Amino acid sequence: MDTGGSKQPHASKLLTAFNGPLTTENVFDYFATSMFYDKQSNNQVLCVQTIHTGQPILNEAEEFKRFTGIEFALAHAQPPSLFVIYKRERLSPEEVRPLAAHFVMNNRIYQSPDLYNVL
C-alpha cells in the first residue's frame, strides 16, 4: 500500500534528541516536528500555557474539553514501533469530528489515506 512515503527524512537525528525510543510520553513531541502538526492546535495552546504557568497538565483529555478547534489525540500505541494519532475537530466538550489519521511506524511519520483514496 502506498502511503505517500515518509515525510520525516531525518528521523534518526530527531530521535537522538529524545534520548531513546519513542514512548507514549514523547511521541507527541516527535509528531509536533512533522509537517502534519498544526501549530494552531489545542495541543499547542496547552503546551504554551504549560510553559507560561509552569503547571503540568494532569489530564489532557479533560483540558481539551475547554476548547473548540483542531486537536490531536493518541488513538493507539504499541511502543516503540507503532503509534496512531487522530487529528480531529472539537465541536463541544463532548463532541469531536475525525479529520485525519496519522501513524508513526518505525520512527517515520505518515498520513493515512482516506477512504476515498483507498477505493
Side-chain angles (χ1 to χ4, degrees):
M1 174 173 72
D2 181 15
T3 60
S6 170
K7 303 297 181 184
Q8 202 70 14
H10 304 291
S12 61
K13 291 179 185 176
L14 287 171
L15 284 174
T16 302
F18 290 99
N19 297 321
L22 291 175
T23 65
T24 56
E25 288 78 30
N26 68 11
V27 72
F28 272 113
D29 293 332
Y30 185 62
F31 181 74
T33 66
S34 77
M35 64 183 281
F36 304 117
Y37 185 72
D38 183 344
K39 299 221 184 307
Q40 304 298 316
S41 68
N42 296 342
N43 304 71
Q44 189 68 27
V45 171
L46 281 176
C47 181
V48 170
Q49 285 179 356
T50 301
I51 292 169
H52 179 70
T53 65
Q55 299 295 319
I57 302 296
L58 300 177
N59 187 338
E60 188 175 77
E62 285 300 313
E63 290 293 323
F64 280 145
K65 291 181 179 183
R66 297 185 304 123
F67 298 94
T68 58
I70 303 300
E71 65 188 38
F72 296 91
L74 184 62
H76 180 76
Q78 288 180 313
S81 60
L82 178 65
F83 301 87
V84 178
I85 297 171
Y86 288 163
K87 179 180 182 180
R88 57 195 192 181
E89 181 180 12
R90 179 161 297 276
L91 303 169
S92 71
E94 300 302 325
E95 185 180 5
V96 293
R97 180 173 54 117
L99 300 174
H102 300 84
F103 59 99
V104 181
M105 187 170 65
N106 296 323
N107 303 329
R108 300 230 180 241
I109 302 169
Y110 301 90
Q111 181 170 5
S112 295
D114 60 26
L115 186 57
Y116 178 80
N117 287 323
V118 171
L119 298 176

